[in-house]
């Protein structure tokens, strides 16, 4: 640097007073807006606070926590659901320890949530000590998993496999077997509450994703029959409301099947939701496929890659990351659409809410509290999903300028 | 036209191609010998890019024969894949895979097409990056590299298949002027090492320095061919003279 040249640093950060003046009171009009906004916020917060803590009667929620969580699942078999929850906490811990970052944030959030649930100020009649202790075991499992994830030499690719097998194990644990004394059969009509909502959403997501990708690829295929079949499926399903599809699989489908074949009610709902979600998934993925420039295909061909290798190694990885926001948006929609299972008689979260309201005449006018509680649960999970999606987008956007 | 011999690695006889009704290649007959460096030039729309893309079957031809390293190009998929593994190609727009790191761009085809173990492919990839002068970029993504660096990675990626022939489709046309030289230097080194090269380019300095033969394309035909000296000092055809006077 030549002599006499002065070093110019970035401008100093504004002091809080400067920031307030610049952003809140820069003109008389702005000042008025600021004052009015603050007033509105204070009044609204006071109103909401008063309603939540004074007016509202949360007893239908507080007294039915178990119903909301598991529905009519038999009490003596509840350990099976606890086992699943511990397994999830442990796996979250392992994943958090192995990957760090956002996964760790989620593991911590999950562990903290269970910890908070365990110490909620609720009468022991409705949240007994043993339940609190079981809830508290979850953070313990998460920490144990975390230590394993940090210490043990686990290859990153085993974790998705572990999650998938835990998913299969979950279904086995919930349903059990007809002739196994340790895991007696629990018919799916007894599954319910948040457990069933999760199950419907997860099966829908896990199954519709590969089917949707295959449909999208099929729609782009050069084989006329495959292409036509995919287009017909996608367009027919997309042209019909989910309610109709659920009715069809639950009422009309059994009419066509021989008497000795009966498909379980929950399974039928899962089937309907999966097919519905797959058609939309296919259209989202197709958008991603179309965004891949021709040069990518040509470069892959010129290197001697086969069509299958090109799709798997070059096209799909790029196409899918383009459509992550759309796919997650669809997962969120699917999660909320599980409430439609109510119309085919499944006791998912919303249905449990209605059942609770109808179970006690004193709660007849407490629907506000119950539905708000259900809305809060949905919001927590959908918000987590969109938060995760933003982080994933940021992570895979790495190589792009 | 030269006599046919064992040394001929590319033989094209009366190759025609139509895009719908547009007759883009009108009877191309051309033989390329091993280690020969051929520069193809001509006005845009003359069919020169289309022609070199028929040699690894990125474009099919409708009439005539193309024989590459003894294998005739037909619709037989096995023939096409066999030839693509022998023929490397470098594109105007690089066409690197943006979701893969530089080193993974290079090792992809050896691992999946040649079925090499990963370690062997990576060793070769690092040697090639060394050769094109950017070993330090191995673990970056293509989007983090300059255009010239990306094109050098693309050359390394093509070389990783250890091809017998390299096709270059206007490799410097998308580059900023100060990056053209670094790519041409790599290509010159490759030419001197004995690689058979077909290069579509308007870099006449490059042609003068390393080309064994220059071919002038216009309207889907070969108008004139000869050594750089013949083409630059004594072009026979009026069309060639006119074109050279416009670009030189």
């Amino acid at each position: 640097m030549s002599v006499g040249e002065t070093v110019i640093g970035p401008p100093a950060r504004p002091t809080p007073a400067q920031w307030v003046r610049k952003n809140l009171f820069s003109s008389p009009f702005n000042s008025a807006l600021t004052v009015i906004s603050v007033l509105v916020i204070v009044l609204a917060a006071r109103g909401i606070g008063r309603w939540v803590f004074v007016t509202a009667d949360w007893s239908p929620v507080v007294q039915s926590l178990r119903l909301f969580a598991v529905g009519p699942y038999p009490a003596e078999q509840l350990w099976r659901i606890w086992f699943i929850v511990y397994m999830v906490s442990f796996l979250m811990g392992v994943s958090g320890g192995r990957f760090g970052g956002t996964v760790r944030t989620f593991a911590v959030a999950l562990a903290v949530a269970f910890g908070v649930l365990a110490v909620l100020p609720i009468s022991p009649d409705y949240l007994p000590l043993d339940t609190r202790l079981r809830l508290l075991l979850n953070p313990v499992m998460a920490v144990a998993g975390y230590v394993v994830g940090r210490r043990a030499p686990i290859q990153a690719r085993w974790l998705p496999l572990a999650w998938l097998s835990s998913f299969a194990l979950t279904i086995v644990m919930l349903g059990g077997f007809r002739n196994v004394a340790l895991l007696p059969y629990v018919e799916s009509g007894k599954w319910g509450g948040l457990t069933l909502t999760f199950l419907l959403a997860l099966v829908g997501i896990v199954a519709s994703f590969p089917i949707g990708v295959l449909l999208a690829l099929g729609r782009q295929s050069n084989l006329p029959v495959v292409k036509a079949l995919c287009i017909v499926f996608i367009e027919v399903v997309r042209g019909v409301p989910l309610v109709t599809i659920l009715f069809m699989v639950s009422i009309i489908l059994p009419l066509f099947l021989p008497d000795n074949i009966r498909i379980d009610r929950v399974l039928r709902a899962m089937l309907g939701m999966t097919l519905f979600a797959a058609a939309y998934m296919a259209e989202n993925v197709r958008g991603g496929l179309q965004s891949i420039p021709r040069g990518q295909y040509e470069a892959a061909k010129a290197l001697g890659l086969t069509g299958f290798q090109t799709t798997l190694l070059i096209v799909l990885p790029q196409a899918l990351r383009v459509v992550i926001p759309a796919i997650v948006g669809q997962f969120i929609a699917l999660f909320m659409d599980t409430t439609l299972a109510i119309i085919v008689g499944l006791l998912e979260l919303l249905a449990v809410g209605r059942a609770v309201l109808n179970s006690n005449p004193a709660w007849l006018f407490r629907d506000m509290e119950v539905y708000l509680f259900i809305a809060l649960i949905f919001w927590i999970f959908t918000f987590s999903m969109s938060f995760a999606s933003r982080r994933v987008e940021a992570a895979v956007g790495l190589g792009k300028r | 036209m030269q006599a046919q011999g064992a040394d001929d690695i590319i033989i094209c006889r009366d190759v025609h191609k139509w895009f719908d009704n547009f007759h883009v290649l009108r009877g191309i007959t051309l033989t390329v010998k091993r280690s020969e460096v051929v520069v193809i030039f001509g006005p845009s729309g003359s069919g020169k890019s289309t022609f070199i893309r028929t040699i690894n079957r990125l474009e099919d031809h409708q009439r005539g024969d193309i024989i590459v390293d003894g294998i005739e190009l037909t619709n037989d998929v096995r023939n096409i894949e066999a030839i693509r593994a022998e023929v490397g190609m470098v594109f105007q727009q690089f066409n690197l895979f943006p979701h893969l790191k530089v080193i993974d761009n290079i090792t992809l085809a050896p691992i999946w097409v040649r079925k090499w173990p990963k370690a062997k492919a990576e060793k070769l990839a690092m040697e090639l990056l060394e050769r094109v002068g950017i070993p330090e970029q191995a673990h970056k993504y293509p989007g983090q590299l300059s255009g010239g660096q990306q094109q050098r990675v693309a050359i390394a990626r093509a070389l990783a298949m250890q091809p017998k022939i390299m096709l270059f489709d206007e490799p410097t046309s998308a580059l900023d002027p100060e990056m053209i030289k670094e790519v041409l230097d790599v290509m010159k080194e490759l030419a001197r090492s004995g690689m058979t090269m077909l290069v579509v380019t308007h870099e006449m300095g490059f042609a003068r320095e390393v080309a064994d033969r220059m071919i002038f394309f216009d309207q889907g035909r070969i108008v004139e061919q000869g050594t750089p000296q013949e083409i630059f000092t004594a072009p026979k055809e009026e069309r060639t003279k006119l074109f050279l006077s416009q670009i030189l």
Side-chain angles (χ1 to χ4, degrees):
Chain A
M1 194 177 296
S2 63
V3 180
E5 207 174 306
T6 45
V7 181
I8 303 173
R13 291 175 64 86
T15 65
Q18 282 171 330
W19 186 91
V20 167
R21 175 169 301 179
K22 178 162 176 281
N23 290 287
L24 302 179
F25 299 100
S26 59
S27 69
F29 179 65
N30 251 358
S31 309
L33 276 186
T34 303
V35 171
I36 292 170
S37 311
V38 169
L39 271 177
V40 169
I41 291 170
V42 166
L43 286 177
R46 237 179 52 162
I48 292 171
R50 181 176 295 161
W51 186 83
V52 167
F53 293 106
V54 182
T55 319
D57 174 8
W58 295 101
S59 51
V61 172
V62 168
Q63 296 179 20
S64 322
L65 283 179
R66 202 187 96 192
L67 272 177
F68 279 111
V70 298
Y73 204 80
E76 71 282 0
Q77 299 296 332
L78 271 185
W79 66 269
R80 286 150 69 161
I81 291 182
W82 282 113
F83 173 86
I84 294 166
V85 177
Y86 298 149
M87 179 172 68
V88 170
S89 286
F90 182 76
L91 270 177
M92 272 310 284
V94 176
S95 306
R98 181 63 184 73
F99 294 120
T102 308
V103 187
R104 186 169 51 203
T105 312
F106 270 92
V108 171
L110 189 74
V112 169
F114 276 115
V116 170
L117 283 179
V119 298
L120 278 182
I122 289 174
S123 146
D125 293 342
Y126 308 121
L127 192 59
L129 185 63
D130 65 321
T131 307
R132 288 179 193 269
L133 289 178
R134 287 194 179 112
L135 284 169
L136 269 182
L137 192 52
N138 279 290
V140 176
M141 294 301 284
V143 170
Y146 187 80
V147 173
V148 170
R150 289 305 294 266
R151 299 279 166 78
I154 301 170
Q155 292 212 10
R157 67 183 142 176
W158 290 114
L159 278 170
L161 273 180
W163 278 105
L164 272 183
S165 21
S166 80
F167 184 54
L169 188 58
T170 296
I171 292 173
V172 170
M173 286 299 285
L174 276 178
F177 303 97
R178 280 186 203 282
N179 41 16
V180 176
L182 190 64
L183 279 184
Y185 178 65
V186 177
E187 58 151 336
S188 61
K190 297 255 187 257
W191 304 2
L194 190 57
T195 314
L196 181 60
T197 295
F198 268 148
L199 198 68
L200 287 172
L202 277 175
V203 169
I205 288 170
V206 171
S208 72
F209 181 68
I211 299 176
V213 170
L214 287 178
L215 281 171
L217 291 172
R219 190 171 185 162
Q220 304 241 310
S221 162
N222 294 326
L223 309 169
V225 177
V226 172
K227 184 172 177 160
L229 280 178
C230 290
I231 292 180
V232 167
F233 176 84
I234 292 169
E235 296 305 335
V236 166
V237 171
R238 285 198 336 143
V240 178
L242 177 56
V243 179
T244 318
I245 292 180
L246 287 175
F247 266 127
M248 290 212 300
V249 291
S250 61
I251 295 164
I252 303 178
L253 186 68
L255 297 181
F256 288 103
L257 291 174
D259 283 345
N260 53 351
I261 299 180
R262 283 183 50 222
I263 305 180
D264 182 273
R265 204 159 42 146
V266 171
L267 193 62
R268 274 178 279 165
M270 285 174 175
L271 188 72
M273 297 191 62
T274 302
L275 293 182
F276 182 77
Y280 281 87
M281 181 66 59
E283 285 303 276
N284 281 334
V285 173
R286 187 165 72 108
L289 292 177
Q290 284 172 341
S291 75
I292 307 299
R294 229 173 66 130
Q296 293 288 306
Y297 293 91
E298 291 184 348
K301 272 189 197 171
L303 287 168
L305 295 176
T306 64
F308 179 72
Q309 289 170 335
T310 306
T311 302
L312 194 71
L313 302 168
I314 308 299
V315 177
L316 277 184
Q318 295 186 63
L320 291 181
R321 81 180 52 184
V322 177
V323 293
I324 288 172
I327 289 179
V328 174
Q330 209 204 315
F331 286 167
I332 291 174
L334 178 66
F335 183 59
M336 294 190 286
D337 280 347
T338 56
T339 49
L340 286 177
I342 197 173
I343 63 150
V344 292
L346 297 188
L347 271 175
E348 46 66 59
L349 196 54
L350 191 63
V352 167
R354 296 210 349 192
V356 164
L357 285 173
N358 292 332
S359 66
N360 186 337
W363 294 342
L364 210 53
F365 300 106
R366 292 294 159 216
D367 40 5
M368 181 87 144
E369 287 85 343
V370 168
Y371 288 131
L372 264 178
F373 173 69
I374 292 172
L376 178 71
I377 294 180
F378 272 104
W379 180 81
I380 289 173
F381 289 108
T382 51
F383 177 77
S384 310
M385 283 158 85
S386 61
F387 176 78
S389 135
R390 284 197 301 276
R391 291 300 190 87
V392 173
E393 277 167 55
V396 300
L398 195 74
K400 299 198 168 173
R401 264 205 284 212
Chain B
M1 207 197 129
Q2 297 131 310
Q4 229 170 279
D7 227 17
D8 299 336
I9 193 162
I10 302 173
I11 300 164
C12 301
R13 287 191 213 107
D14 194 31
V15 174
H16 289 261
K17 176 174 179 63
W18 286 263
F19 284 127
D20 294 326
N21 284 325
F22 179 56
H23 198 173
V24 57
L25 297 179
R26 304 175 176 221
I28 305 294
T29 299
L30 176 71
T31 305
V32 178
K33 291 185 180 308
R34 268 176 225 284
S35 294
E36 197 176 5
V37 176
V38 176
V39 164
I40 300 173
F41 67 111
S44 60
S46 60
K48 54 195 191 304
S49 284
T50 307
F51 171 65
I52 70 164
R53 288 158 61 90
T54 59
I55 291 171
N56 64 350
R57 197 71 168 186
L58 286 184
E59 304 284 357
D60 56 358
H61 59 285
Q62 280 107 27
R63 250 176 64 189
D65 308 317
I66 300 178
I67 299 160
V68 178
D69 198 26
I71 306 171
E72 174 156 16
L73 273 180
T74 57
N75 280 324
D76 188 333
V77 180
R78 276 165 308 171
N79 275 1
I80 295 172
E81 279 170 7
I83 283 172
R84 282 180 181 154
E86 302 296 328
V87 179
M89 183 152 199
V90 175
F91 300 87
Q92 181 177 355
Q93 298 294 341
F94 328 138
N95 294 347
L96 293 176
F97 305 128
H99 61 300
L100 299 176
K101 286 178 181 168
V102 162
I103 183 131
D104 298 323
N105 263 276
I106 301 173
T107 57
L108 185 82
I111 289 174
W112 288 88
V113 181
R114 293 262 191 254
K115 312 289 178 201
W116 281 15
K118 194 168 179 225
K120 183 178 173 191
E122 283 186 347
K123 185 165 167 289
L124 174 70
M126 285 314 296
E127 286 168 15
L128 288 168
L129 280 175
E130 202 84 50
R131 188 168 167 193
V132 301
I134 40 173
E136 71 283 357
Q137 312 289 355
H139 294 282
K140 288 190 183 164
Y141 286 91
Q144 296 166 300
L145 270 54
S146 74
Q149 290 171 331
Q150 290 193 46
Q151 193 61 300
R152 286 190 275 164
V153 172
I155 295 173
R157 180 178 69 177
L159 290 176
M161 286 295 283
Q162 303 184 312
K164 295 177 178 160
I165 302 165
M166 285 283 284
L167 307 173
F168 292 84
D169 187 3
E170 306 209 31
T172 57
S173 300
L175 295 176
D176 291 339
E178 74 270 26
M179 293 168 184
I180 291 177
K181 183 177 179 295
E182 63 188 51
V183 172
L184 290 181
D185 285 345
V186 170
M187 289 168 61
K188 286 176 195 166
E189 185 268 325
L190 194 58
R192 291 192 192 102
S193 75
M195 176 65 75
T196 310
M197 290 164 63
L198 258 70
V199 186
V200 173
T201 185
H202 292 137
E203 292 296 328
M204 289 299 136
F206 170 81
R208 195 189 301 264
E209 198 173 329
V210 297
D212 298 307
R213 187 159 34 132
M214 293 179 68
I215 297 180
F216 178 60
F217 257 63
D218 192 22
Q219 296 181 351
R221 290 193 182 87
I222 293 178
V223 174
E224 180 167 2
Q225 52 180 313
T227 64
Q229 190 169 11
E230 287 165 357
I231 295 287
F232 286 124
T233 55
K236 293 187 206 85
E237 303 289 331
E238 278 308 312
R239 189 74 193 81
T240 318
K241 282 179 201 164
L242 183 66
F243 184 76
L244 283 171
S245 73
Q246 281 164 345
I247 64 164
L248 283 179

